[in-house]
Amino acid sequence: MSELTEEKCVACRADAPVVTQDEVRELKPQMPEWALIDEDGIPKLDRLFKFRNFTQALAFTAAVGDIAESEGHHPRIVTEWGRVRVTWWTHKIRNLHRNDFIMAAKTDQAYGEAG
């Protein structure tokens, strides 16, 4: 995972390549807490993060937002009392891109720092 956290997202266009199944098999083990989900035919990375209270959850939400802004790649974030669900996928290609794995790794890193 540390290698992914050192990478930067690349700008995506509608014709950007999606990750291959081989790439998913290589990258997914680096982030075992993330689930590969499918919503309306769109593969996504999804993870629920738990906190002791709303203040911690909100601070983590802000940290993920800061990372997303700095990389120009934005997730769905749902913040509730004691928990935050983060979902990554690349909107332009309606699929997963290497950027999503990079951002999931950076999200994990932020969670580790929030502890």
Side-chain angles (χ1 to χ4, degrees), residues 49-107:
F49 297 89
K50 295 186 179 182
F51 299 90
R52 288 187 299 260
N53 56 51
F54 186 73
T55 301
Q56 290 176 336
L58 196 56
F60 177 71
T61 298
V64 173
D66 289 344
I67 296 165
E69 277 297 295
S70 72
E71 293 286 342
H73 191 54
H74 303 89
R76 176 174 59 211
I77 305 173
V78 177
T79 305
E80 301 176 279
W81 188 96
R83 58 194 231 165
V84 177
R85 180 171 297 282
V86 180
T87 309
W88 290 103
W89 76 100
T90 301
H91 306 288
K92 285 186 180 181
I93 62 174
R94 298 178 53 83
N95 209 315
L96 288 171
H97 185 275
R98 185 173 184 91
N99 288 347
D100 301 303
F101 290 88
I102 291 168
M103 295 305 289
K106 290 182 183 215
T107 303

